[in-house]
């Protein structure tokens, strides 16, 4: 008989964190909880977006006494510029991740560290881009496609190749509104040029470029990252794993991978599974090697290898505080510089690997596709050698974890949903079963839940509480990034969570053998969600904006999240935020984002800091969409 299922509640997670912080206090360790107290209250000018420091005449800040900066720019111009700069930072970051994946694809070979694991997907993309595949060696094709993909970053003319995947109606909107993304690097450069002193201060122009910059990320750089990661490492299929700090094993060498780029973590996992390395670990007194993950690197290896997820963004310090982490190895993005000093309080090795993310108090091992095997092997060996340096009196791993089924790529999702409806053979391999579930009323709609943790919101509460109410109302959830990990830690990605659903969604979960919250990957994999809604629109004959689907980032914190929000909205999906995007200092910019852009892209933002009101507004919007299309 299977064990009784129950969710892990927030109080349990917080109690576990408090116990770890007690260990930290014993050794004089810092924590984000303490740093939040030291930084509170936050600068209100910054929170409203009305502080400008783009030239040395200032910094200027807008007040009733000083309604304009020294150059004459008003609140709307300053807020708009700050918003565009924020978007450009996020778009550049996600897209550079995609660039590195393309470069890794270029280094792939039959006898090298990196191989093409999904040749059919590579051929499919080549066909979309008009590249001949017949009779070509798969690695010759991989190198050709890698070059073409890298040209998406700097091509002198034209627009992104990926946008042809969008429905024609959506592409027409982008052309009409002049927000079609051109070369990815051009949109970053253009955004920074527009926000330089003496350039754009018109809010409409700044917001419009923010949307274009976001599209260059979601339908450009992020899509490169997602699609070519699938080509290299395999397109995800449902796989069982576990989540929360209890996945760490006291008797084993514990290696934690953290960041976003799967090129490094894939190799670390490969060598942690090597019998030679396992034997070496045993020679040092360990029973084996456990790799677990934090943040989106964790999502990447979880959905392809079943590697357990130790936690999301605000748990990254906790893995070190267990005293059982031999080594935490990071690549890029969302990494606390605090990990360096924290690791010094324990025996943990903190290893950075990218010139883009160098930090004090770390050991730097420059990682590259050409030296991947050598780098990964040395990292795993370093962790094993460090096992004997543990301080047993500091070891405490909270014994909490949940089962999770992860890895629902669009391809996998279509396949599992084929069994839900009594469809004809000619509909198999399409999204029509999902459409039928919605049009018949079995499902009310879907929410794409994404984003980070933010200390301004009780950690994970917004993600978990929103999800619980949505699934109870027969609304299926696709999740990525730290939101997906919040769901997994709580138990919402366990198939047994179907009992928390309304009758319709519960039936779908039973028929398709899926959990009610579907793991779609890391934050770059929100591009998968764009492909999914594009296919839903094509198969249903509806516009994307008509689908009973909304997006939500209830605890977002990074520049990447703003870029994501801009491409989700620009694709025609209403997007709900639980943290203000630093635009409240200008009614003009706020109104554009929450109202005016609907005239451009048929969708807009809703900002609501109250979680209960936020979920009610999402359900209300889904019901409005259902009514509008007669279902």
């Amino acid at each position: 008989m299977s064990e009784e299922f129950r969710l892990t509640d927030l109080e349990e997670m917080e109690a576990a964190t408090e116990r770890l912080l007690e260990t930290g206090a014993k050794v004089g360790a810092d924590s984000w909880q303490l740093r939040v107290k030291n930084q509170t209250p936050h600068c209100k000018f910054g929170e409203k977006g009305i502080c400008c420091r783009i030239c040395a005449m200032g910094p200027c800040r807008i007040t009733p006494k000083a309604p304009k900066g020294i150059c004459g720019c008003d609140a709307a111009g300053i807020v708009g510029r700050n918003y565009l700069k924020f978007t450009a930072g996020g778009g550049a970051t996600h897209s550079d991740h995609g660039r590195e994946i393309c470069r890794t694809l270029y280094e792939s070979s039959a006898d090298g560290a990196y191989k093409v694991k999904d040749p059919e997907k590579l051929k499919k993309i080549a066909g979309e881009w008009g590249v001949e595949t017949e009779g070509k060696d798969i690695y010759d094709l991989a190198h050709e496609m890698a070059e073409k993909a890298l040209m998406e970053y700097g091509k002198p003319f034209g627009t992104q190749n990926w946008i042809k995947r969008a429905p024609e109606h959506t592409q027409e909107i982008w052309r009409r509104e002049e927000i079609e993304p051109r070369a990815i690097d051009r949109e970053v450069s253009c955004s920074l040029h527009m926000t330089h002193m003496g350039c754009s201060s018109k809010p409409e122009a700044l917001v419009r470029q923010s949307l274009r910059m976001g599209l260059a990320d979601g339908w450009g750089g992020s899509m490169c990252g997602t699609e070519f990661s699938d080509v290299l490492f395999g397109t995800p299929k449902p796989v069982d794993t576990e989540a929360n700090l209890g996945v760490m094993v006291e008797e084993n060498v514990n290696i934690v991978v953290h960041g976003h780029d799967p090129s490094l973590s894939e190799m670390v996992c490969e060598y942690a599974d090597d019998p030679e390395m396992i034997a070496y670990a045993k020679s040092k007194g360990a029973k084996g090697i456990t790799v677990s993950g934090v943040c989106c690197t964790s999502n990447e290896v979880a959905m392809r290898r079943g590697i357990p997820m130790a936690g999301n963004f605000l748990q990254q310090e906790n893995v070190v505080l267990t005293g059982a982490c031999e080594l935490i190895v990071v690549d890029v993005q969302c990494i606390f510089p605090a990990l360096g000093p924290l690791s010094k309080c324990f025996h943990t090795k903190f290893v950075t690997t990218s010139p883009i993310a160098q930090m004090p108090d770390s050991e730097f091992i420059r990682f590259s596709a050409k030296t991947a095997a050598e780098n990964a092997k040395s990292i795993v060996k370093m962790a094993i050698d460090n096992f004997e340096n543990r301080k047993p009196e500091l070891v405490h791993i909270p014994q909490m974890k949940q089962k999770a089924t992860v890895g629902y790529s669009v391809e996998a999702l279509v396949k599992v949903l084929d069994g839900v409806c009594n469809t004809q053979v000619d509909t198999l391999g399409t999204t029509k079963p999902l459409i039928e579930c919605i049009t018949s009323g079995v499902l009310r709609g879907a929410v794409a839940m994404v984003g980070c943790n933010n200390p301004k919101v009780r950690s994970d509460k917004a993600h978990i509480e929103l999800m619980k109410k949505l699934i109870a109302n027969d609304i299926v959830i696709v999740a990525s990034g730290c939101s997906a990990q919040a769901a997994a830690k709580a138990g919402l990605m366990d198939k047994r969570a179907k009992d928390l659903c309304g009758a319709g969604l519960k039936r779908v979960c039973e028929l398709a053998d899926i959990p009610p919250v579907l793991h779609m990957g890391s934050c770059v994999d929100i591009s998968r969600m764009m492909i999914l809604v594009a296919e839903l629109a094509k198969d249903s004959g509806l516009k994307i904006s008509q689908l009973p689907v909304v997006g939500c980032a209830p605890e977002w914190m990074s520049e990447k999240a703003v870029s994501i929000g801009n491409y989700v909205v620009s694709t025609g999906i209403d997007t709900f935020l639980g943290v203000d995007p630093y635009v409240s200092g200008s009614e003009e910019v706020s109104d554009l984002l929450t109202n005016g852009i609907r005239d451009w892209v048929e969708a807009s933002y809703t900002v609501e800091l109250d979680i209960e009101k936020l979920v009610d507004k999402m359900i209300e919007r889904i019901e409005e969409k259902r009514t509008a299309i007669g279902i």
Side-chain angles (χ1 to χ4, degrees):
M1 182 178 288
S2 62
E3 59 188 287
E4 183 182 351
F5 171 74
R6 73 175 188 86
L7 294 182
T8 301
D9 60 40
L10 287 168
E11 287 73 21
E12 289 176 90
M13 295 189 207
E14 289 168 346
T17 296
E18 285 301 317
R19 170 64 180 80
L20 293 173
L21 291 174
E22 289 174 14
T23 303
K26 290 178 184 176
V27 296
D30 198 3
S31 70
W32 67 259
Q33 290 87 346
L34 177 62
R35 296 191 295 273
V36 166
K37 289 179 182 177
N38 293 340
Q39 283 292 338
T40 305
H42 297 291
C43 170
K44 296 304 176 186
F45 294 99
E47 286 189 324
K48 292 181 178 180
I50 49 175
C51 175
C52 181
R53 51 179 298 278
I54 66 170
C55 80
M57 292 193 293
C60 296
R61 55 189 189 182
I62 300 302
T63 66
K65 178 185 174 182
K68 293 184 178 180
I70 290 169
C71 70
C73 191
D74 61 11
I78 290 172
V79 169
R81 285 193 305 217
N82 286 338
Y83 185 77
L84 176 53
K85 272 185 176 288
F86 215 78
T87 304
T93 302
H94 261 167
S95 296
D96 213 32
H97 170 162
R99 189 197 322 260
E100 288 307 307
I101 295 297
C102 295
R103 292 176 68 90
T104 302
L105 180 64
Y106 189 79
E107 297 294 336
S108 66
S109 65
D111 56 355
Y114 294 106
K115 296 176 174 59
V116 170
K117 290 190 177 177
D118 193 340
E120 293 308 311
K121 186 156 196 173
L122 178 62
K123 292 175 185 176
K124 179 177 178 290
I125 296 168
E128 290 179 34
W129 288 14
V131 174
E132 182 57 53
T133 63
E134 190 67 32
K136 275 186 186 169
D137 175 82
I138 198 64
Y139 289 98
D140 289 340
L141 180 62
H143 301 157
E144 183 179 355
M145 288 302 296
E147 282 199 66
K148 285 189 73 71
L150 287 166
M151 280 300 294
E152 293 296 284
Y153 287 81
K155 61 186 184 185
F157 305 107
T159 54
Q160 287 295 293
N161 275 332
W162 296 115
I163 65 175
K164 297 181 181 69
R165 290 180 161 188
E168 182 52 44
H169 172 77
T170 305
Q171 294 183 55
E172 177 51 39
I173 287 174
W174 296 339
R175 285 191 291 269
R176 183 192 72 209
E177 299 301 330
E178 297 184 357
I179 58 173
E180 273 186 309
R182 301 160 294 185
I184 298 163
D185 290 349
R186 180 178 181 183
E187 299 304 354
V188 176
S189 179
C190 179
S191 298
L192 295 178
H193 189 175
M194 286 180 72
T195 55
H196 189 275
M197 191 275 157
C199 288
S200 291
S201 56
K202 186 176 181 180
E204 291 91 338
L206 294 161
V207 170
R208 197 178 292 275
Q209 178 59 22
S210 297
L211 300 182
R212 192 176 211 172
M213 180 67 255
L215 287 170
D217 170 2
W219 291 87
S222 279
M223 206 163 284
C224 282
T226 294
E227 296 294 86
F228 292 119
S229 287
D230 285 357
V231 168
L232 279 167
F233 310 124
T235 300
K237 300 173 183 176
V239 60
D240 293 333
T241 187
E242 294 178 319
N244 222 328
L245 288 167
V247 303
M248 298 175 72
V249 180
E250 187 170 340
E251 298 79 16
N252 288 0
V253 172
N254 283 289
I255 300 171
V256 175
V257 292
H258 175 21
H260 288 75
D261 185 343
S263 302
L264 165 67
S265 51
E266 279 284 331
M267 284 293 107
V268 170
C269 292
E270 193 75 25
Y271 277 91
D273 277 342
D274 188 327
E276 179 188 337
M277 289 288 102
I278 294 171
Y280 186 55
K282 290 180 178 178
S283 75
K284 294 290 185 176
K287 288 188 176 181
I289 303 171
T290 295
V291 178
S292 59
V294 170
C295 268
C296 282
T297 283
S298 176
N299 283 314
E300 296 277 4
V301 292
M303 66 184 174
R304 293 192 177 94
R305 290 177 171 267
I307 296 295
M309 300 182 280
N312 46 4
F313 176 63
L314 284 183
Q315 278 189 296
Q316 62 185 276
E317 291 175 322
N318 287 11
V319 296
V320 178
L321 288 167
T322 64
C325 176
E326 272 62 59
L327 185 147
I328 180 166
V329 57
V330 303
D331 43 75
V332 293
Q333 303 169 29
C334 299
I335 300 149
F336 279 177
L339 288 176
L342 177 63
S343 67
K344 300 294 183 187
C345 297
F346 294 84
H347 76 298
T348 306
K349 298 284 188 182
F350 175 45
V351 179
T352 55
T353 58
S354 171
I356 290 172
Q358 299 184 63
M359 297 183 186
D361 297 311
S362 69
E363 300 194 34
F364 182 59
I365 297 176
R366 185 183 292 267
F367 181 85
S368 74
K370 289 181 178 178
T371 61
E374 174 190 333
N375 296 149
K377 189 171 184 177
S378 67
I379 288 167
V380 173
K381 186 176 184 298
M382 183 189 296
I384 295 170
D385 287 336
N386 197 28
F387 180 74
E388 61 190 10
N389 296 321
R390 265 200 204 172
K391 300 172 183 176
E393 69 276 12
L394 297 179
V395 174
H396 172 72
I397 300 173
Q399 292 307 300
M400 58 170 61
K401 59 183 177 180
Q402 288 279 8
K403 294 178 180 177
T405 302
V406 301
Y408 290 95
S409 59
V410 175
E411 294 88 340
L413 189 57
V414 166
K415 185 174 182 180
V416 298
L417 287 173
D418 272 343
V420 176
C421 298
N422 294 319
T423 54
Q424 299 299 316
V425 174
D426 63 358
T427 69
L428 297 180
T430 75
T431 62
K432 287 182 180 178
L434 180 56
I435 294 164
E436 288 183 28
C437 286
I438 294 171
T439 56
S440 66
V442 174
L443 296 179
R444 309 302 296 170
V447 170
M449 193 80 75
V450 305
C452 330
N453 299 127
N454 191 321
K456 292 183 175 181
V457 181
R458 185 180 174 188
S459 185
D460 289 333
K461 181 180 180 181
H463 295 297
I464 294 168
E465 294 304 314
L466 290 175
M467 289 176 184
K468 284 162 62 177
K469 186 162 184 177
L470 289 167
I471 64 175
N473 281 272
D474 290 322
I475 295 169
V476 68
I477 296 166
V478 291
S480 70
C482 287
S483 182
Q485 290 171 322
K489 288 189 300 175
L492 289 165
M493 288 183 174
D494 189 318
K495 293 175 183 178
R496 294 173 296 175
K498 67 181 186 297
D499 292 332
L500 302 172
C501 303
L505 178 54
K506 181 178 180 179
R507 183 62 177 148
V508 171
C509 290
E510 289 171 340
L511 288 171
D513 192 31
I514 58 173
V517 180
L518 299 169
H519 181 284
M520 290 201 87
S522 64
C523 49
V524 294
D525 293 331
I526 297 167
S527 60
R528 294 192 201 278
M529 298 176 184
M530 300 304 98
I531 296 168
L532 178 59
V533 293
E535 292 305 307
L536 284 168
K538 292 172 188 175
D539 289 341
S540 67
L542 296 170
K543 302 172 185 176
I544 289 177
S545 60
Q546 292 177 304
L547 297 171
V549 175
V550 300
C552 182
E555 299 182 26
W556 75 271
M557 66 85 202
S558 74
E559 292 172 318
K560 295 181 297 177
V562 173
S563 179
I564 290 165
N566 284 332
Y567 73 70
V568 173
V569 165
S570 298
T571 301
I573 303 169
D574 289 299
T575 299
F576 293 74
L577 305 178
V579 176
D580 185 75
Y582 294 171
V583 297
S584 61
S586 166
E587 287 187 18
E588 194 171 347
V589 175
S590 295
D591 185 63
L592 268 174
L593 293 172
T594 59
N595 185 29
I597 61 172
R598 186 174 297 280
D599 293 335
W600 305 349
V601 294
E602 300 180 350
S604 65
Y605 286 102
T606 296
V607 180
E608 178 53 70
L609 309 188
D610 184 299
I611 296 172
E612 280 298 321
K613 291 179 181 177
L614 183 65
V615 69
D616 288 342
K617 287 180 179 179
M618 284 194 285
I619 294 171
E620 181 183 352
R621 184 69 185 123
I622 285 171
E623 292 300 331
E624 287 173 355
K625 287 172 175 281
R626 290 178 62 83
T627 301
I629 58 176
I631 58 173

